[in-house]
């Protein structure tokens, strides 16, 4: 995460972050629209092998929607984690 978050959120206000939630996108506990979005964007195979990461950025006002970030990550062909979707 220490390498992925700064690449996905490269602005100074996002320099401090906390992982609020991390689970497979295919988990029944993951909000279904996120899984469906992943499936629509990249297909079932990618959705089944991706993780949902919810971040909190404390330097951004609590009431602002920008204080929460969403990333979808998966391992690439080099077996390294890669961010393939972000919502800011």
């Amino acid at each position: 995460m220490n390498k992925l978050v700064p690449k996905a959120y490269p602005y100074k206000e996002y320099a401090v972050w906390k992982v609020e939630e991390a689970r497979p996108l295919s988990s029944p506990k993951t909000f279904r629209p996120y899984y469906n979005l992943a499936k629509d964007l990249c297909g079932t195979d990618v959705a089944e092998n991706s993780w949902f990461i919810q971040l909190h950025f404390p330097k951004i006002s609590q009431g602002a929607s920008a204080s929460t970030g969403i990333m979808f990550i998966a391992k690439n062909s080099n077996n390294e984690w890669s961010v393939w979707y972000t919502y800011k």
Side-chain angles (χ1 to χ4, degrees):
M1 296 309 288
N2 289 333
K3 291 181 182 179
L4 298 177
V5 174
K7 287 181 183 176
Y9 297 90
Y11 308 104
K12 65 180 179 178
E13 54 273 350
Y14 295 105
V16 177
W17 51 271
K18 177 183 174 192
V19 174
E20 293 286 320
E21 188 176 337
R23 68 171 46 111
L25 266 171
S26 61
S27 168
K29 292 183 179 183
T30 302
F31 189 52
R32 280 335 276 169
Y34 288 127
Y35 175 80
N36 292 336
L37 174 63
K39 198 168 72 169
D40 289 346
L41 291 173
C42 292
T44 303
D45 234 19
V46 172
E48 289 290 322
N49 291 291
S50 294
W51 279 66
F52 166 84
I53 310 295
Q54 181 176 342
L55 304 164
H56 172 68
F57 301 101
K59 286 189 172 184
I60 298 173
S61 174
Q62 288 284 356
S65 63
S67 69
T68 299
I70 302 293
M71 298 189 319
F72 297 169
I73 65 173
K75 287 200 174 178
N76 61 25
S77 59
N78 294 324
N79 206 31
E80 299 168 331
W81 288 104
S82 178
V83 177
W84 65 268
Y85 176 82
T86 59
Y87 179 80
K88 300 173 186 171

